[in-house]
Amino acid sequence: MIPGTGVLPSQTLRAMISAGVIAAEPAVLPEQIQPASLDLRLGTVAYRVRASFLAGEGARVEDRLAEFEMHRIDLSPGAVLEKGAVYVVPLMERLALPEGVQAVANAKSSTGRLDLLTRLITDSGVEFDRIAPGYTGPLYAEICPQSFSVLVRPGMRLNQIRFRAGKSVLDDETLEARHRAHRLVDGPAVIDHGLAFSVDLQPREGDLVGYRAKPHAGVIDLDRIGFYAPEDYWEPIRTTAGRIILDPGAFYILVSREAVHIPPDCAAEMAPYLAMVGEFRVHYAGFFDPGFGHGAVGGTGSRGVLEVRCHEAPFVLEHGQVVGRLVYEHMAEVPEALYGAGLGSNYQGQGLKLSKHFKTVEV
């Protein structure tokens, strides 16, 4: 069932579902399977909890919920998750991982672009979004709306999970060789424990460099695509100076200077840059599927959208400043379908772009 070392592709995920390694009630839908990951679905109930938590070694999430639950919400008719609150939602999927296969989860792109912090927790878990080989048990999403309250329903897909067998990360020497062969980035490649991402604050046309979330916006129904007027939720950030000042506690949508390319036999994950470079966090949604920006499926290089939250102090962000790094991994096999190849991918060939819930912005 497991073809070799590396990130497991869509065809292997289907085999894992057939074998019961990945199980769900109701059954996993074909549209949940992505080239190198599986979308996870919300269940029917949300628990409003006093604080974020991890189960801890030897403990079940269910038992910890009994300690921290404030009240529970039936999601079946649709329910609002309030900005600033913490919720735990049992997911429809569960795992019975074999030894030698680990998993990592991350928010989906649209989830991150709404500043909707979504992390996976498990029984006996001692860190978020990481599942050790051999884990058998249920999965839960911890959801913390940061900028906007959201309306959710059972079956919605806010986060996704990726499976790995053995060592998959490309070291810098291998990454440099791949760049020479395939041009992983459209400009100079800065490679240091991954491919560096920098911020674009000098657009080729106009002066729009990003968006800042408005602090008192309305509810967003996550089922409504292309529905909301951006100006009701976002303040445009414009500059001709090549720099902006990030405000503490504010959330920004910016874009990378580099257009990147993920070859069909690779996947990638956005990792934070060193904390010493600034008082901010970049990118909640970190998976880049095989084929992202790939010319054969209409990508011709795609820029990465940066979800930026400033911490305690105002911070001057300069054009070209490195804010993150893209860690490349090899696939165990090339997926049967690539990102953007008839999969309804929302962000192939993207530039500066809000989540799919908003109407297209005329710059």
Side-chain angles (χ1 to χ4, degrees), residues 114 147-149 211-221 227-236 251 354 357-358:
L114 291 175
S147 289
F148 311 114
S149 297
Y211 300 91
R212 170 179 163 155
K214 290 187 172 182
H216 305 295
V219 172
I220 295 175
D221 182 340
F227 178 82
Y228 294 99
E231 60 269 21
D232 292 339
Y233 294 84
W234 300 95
E235 172 191 350
F251 178 73
L354 297 173
H357 307 92
F358 295 95

Side-chain angles (χ1 to χ4, degrees), residues 185-206:
V185 64
D186 61 345
V190 178
I191 295 176
D192 181 10
H193 295 87
L195 180 66
F197 249 23
S198 64
V199 64
D200 185 5
L201 297 177
Q202 291 180 342
R204 294 177 184 174
E205 297 182 7

Side-chain angles (χ1 to χ4, degrees), residues 121-245:
I121 56 176
T122 63
D123 292 345
S124 295
V126 295
E127 56 183 333
F128 294 107
D129 288 334
R130 298 291 186 268
I131 306 176
Y135 175 78
T136 297
L139 303 174
Y140 300 82
E142 179 195 89
I143 304 170
C144 310
Q146 304 284 290
S147 289
F148 311 114
S149 297
V150 294
L151 179 63
V152 301
R153 300 175 182 84
M156 283 185 169
R157 295 174 277 168
L158 302 189
N159 59 345
Q160 55 195 14
I161 192 166
R162 181 174 282 181
F163 299 88
R164 300 181 176 110
K167 181 176 172 56
S168 61
V169 174
L170 274 61
D171 60 29
D172 286 352
E173 183 179 354
T174 304
L175 196 56
E176 287 177 357
R178 292 303 298 268
H179 175 65
R180 288 194 297 270
H182 300 287
R183 297 294 299 171
L184 301 179
V185 64
D186 61 345
V190 178
I191 295 176
D192 181 10
H193 295 87
L195 180 66
F197 249 23
S198 64
V199 64
D200 185 5
L201 297 177
Q202 291 180 342
R204 294 177 184 174
E205 297 182 7
D207 59 359
L208 179 68
V209 298
Y211 300 91
R212 170 179 163 155
K214 290 187 172 182
H216 305 295
V219 172
I220 295 175
D221 182 340
L222 298 184
D223 272 340
R224 290 187 161 178
I225 308 304
F227 178 82
Y228 294 99
E231 60 269 21
D232 292 339
Y233 294 84
W234 300 95
E235 172 191 350
I237 304 297
R238 299 181 184 274
T239 184
T240 56
R243 71 173 66 90
I244 59 174
I245 297 177

Side-chain angles (χ1 to χ4, degrees), residues 32-165:
Q32 289 177 247
I33 302 173
Q34 305 301 323
S37 62
L38 177 75
D39 292 346
L40 300 173
R41 299 170 295 172
L42 300 182
T44 58
V45 63
Y47 296 87
R48 170 74 164 89
V49 293
R50 290 185 284 131
S52 171
F53 67 86
L54 291 164
E57 192 65 45
R60 300 188 307 167
V61 173
E62 184 178 2
D63 296 331
R64 303 308 301 272
L65 282 172
E67 294 180 58
F68 299 119
E69 176 189 348
M70 298 171 67
H71 65 270
R72 64 189 67 181
I73 305 165
D74 181 8
L75 300 184
S76 299
V80 173
L81 305 186
E82 298 281 353
K83 171 184 171 181
V86 183
Y87 303 87
V88 173
V89 180
L91 298 173
M92 294 180 177
E93 290 74 29
R94 60 182 293 118
L95 299 180
L97 290 181
E99 292 298 333
V101 175
Q102 61 180 308
V104 59
N106 217 317
K108 289 178 63 65
S109 293
S110 293
T111 307
R113 294 183 199 198
L114 291 175
D115 199 18
L116 187 57
L117 181 60
T118 303
R119 302 184 289 192
L120 191 73
I121 56 176
T122 63
D123 292 345
S124 295
V126 295
E127 56 183 333
F128 294 107
D129 288 334
R130 298 291 186 268
I131 306 176
Y135 175 78
T136 297
L139 303 174
Y140 300 82
E142 179 195 89
I143 304 170
C144 310
Q146 304 284 290
S147 289
F148 311 114
S149 297
V150 294
L151 179 63
V152 301
R153 300 175 182 84
M156 283 185 169
R157 295 174 277 168
L158 302 189
N159 59 345
Q160 55 195 14
I161 192 166
R162 181 174 282 181
F163 299 88
R164 300 181 176 110

Side-chain angles (χ1 to χ4, degrees), residues 13-30:
L13 300 185
R14 281 191 281 273
M16 292 166 69
I17 293 166
S18 297
V21 173
I22 303 169
E25 182 59 44
V28 174
L29 302 172

